[in-house]
Amino acid sequence: MVTLKGNQIYLRALEQKDLDFLYALENDTDVWEVSGTVTPYSKDVLQLYLDSAHRDIYDVKQLRLVICSQDHQTLGLIDVFDFEPNHHRAGIGIVILDKNQRNKGVGAEAITLLCNYLFEVLGLRQVYANILEENAPSLYLFKKLGFQEIGIKKDWVRFKDTYKNEILLQKIIS
């Protein structure tokens, strides 16, 4: 049986109460580099997003889940994007907003829970992640969880007039 609950955290769907957290995360310029964001989001725009967040992954080809501690503190988000049910694959991304909550096993548990869901419930064969070459902690985390580096996208991400390489990692089940 697949569950979205682990030892430290659980994953849940977005709710209306997440508006302030989304606003803080989406407008945190420290995460813009990895999220591809270049302009701030208003609460009105984020409310529209929340209003449609219930839509089915097969319809919108993406899914965003909230990472919560066992005492219900919102820690971050984990996303499924580029969902391709015909090819049995999807991309995943994760962000833990509070830097004090990083490197404590939260990300590893969230990725493991999500991958189990994607492989066992949605029947995917592979998942992938795109990580900046300089993001050693994330590269280490994904590799530790069985993702393999399969390529480097040269000068792939432009941020503040600098081009950075992005590593493509993939996990395939047999």
Side-chain angles (χ1 to χ4, degrees):
M1 178 174 137
V2 173
T3 178
L4 293 177
K5 184 174 183 176
N7 295 323
Q8 296 185 70
I9 58 105
Y10 63 94
L11 307 178
R12 65 164 173 79
L14 282 167
E15 298 174 354
Q16 294 299 321
K17 68 181 180 181
D18 296 317
L19 179 61
D20 288 335
F21 181 82
L22 271 176
Y23 184 77
L25 183 118
E26 295 293 358
N27 290 296
D28 182 344
T29 57
D30 288 343
V31 295
W32 283 10
E33 183 176 25
V34 295
S35 68
T37 302
V38 294
T39 60
Y41 283 92
S42 70
K43 283 192 175 182
D44 290 341
V45 167
L46 292 171
Q47 184 61 58
L48 290 172
Y49 172 74
L50 280 175
D51 291 344
S52 67
H54 66 280
R55 294 179 59 199
D56 187 80
I57 189 172
Y58 287 92
D59 179 30
V60 295
K61 308 297 187 226
Q62 64 184 11
L63 173 67
R64 175 169 272 183
L65 297 172
V66 180
I67 304 167
C68 297
S69 65
Q70 294 298 354
D71 63 355
H72 312 294
Q73 177 187 358
T74 302
L75 303 174
L77 299 173
I78 191 162
D79 295 334
V80 179
F81 60 91
D82 292 344
F83 175 64
E84 289 285 345
N86 185 48
H87 300 293
H88 299 158
R89 69 173 179 245
I92 64 171
I94 184 171
V95 63
I96 307 297
L97 185 58
D98 182 353
K99 292 177 183 168
N100 294 322
Q101 294 294 331
R102 296 177 187 167
N103 300 311
K104 294 185 175 181
V106 170
E109 193 165 51
I111 293 166
T112 299
L113 291 170
L114 182 65
C115 284
N116 289 342
Y117 171 78
L118 294 173
F119 292 142
E120 296 176 33
V121 175
L122 296 185
L124 297 189
R125 182 168 181 267
Q126 59 181 292
V127 294
Y128 67 90
N130 302 302
I131 302 172
L132 290 178
E133 186 175 50
E134 64 195 30
N135 190 343
S138 287
L139 289 170
Y140 174 80
L141 172 62
F142 276 85
K143 288 177 182 180
K144 181 177 86 171
L145 296 174
F147 284 74
Q148 295 181 340
E149 183 176 322
I150 61 163
I152 299 174
K153 297 184 249 178
K154 301 281 187 182
D155 292 344
W156 197 256
V157 175
R158 184 180 70 86
F159 188 73
K160 296 183 180 176
D161 298 324
T162 302
Y163 290 89
K164 298 181 179 186
N165 296 340
E166 189 173 76
I167 307 296
L168 178 58
L169 297 118
Q170 186 178 40
K171 184 173 187 173
I172 300 175
I173 60 167
S174 41

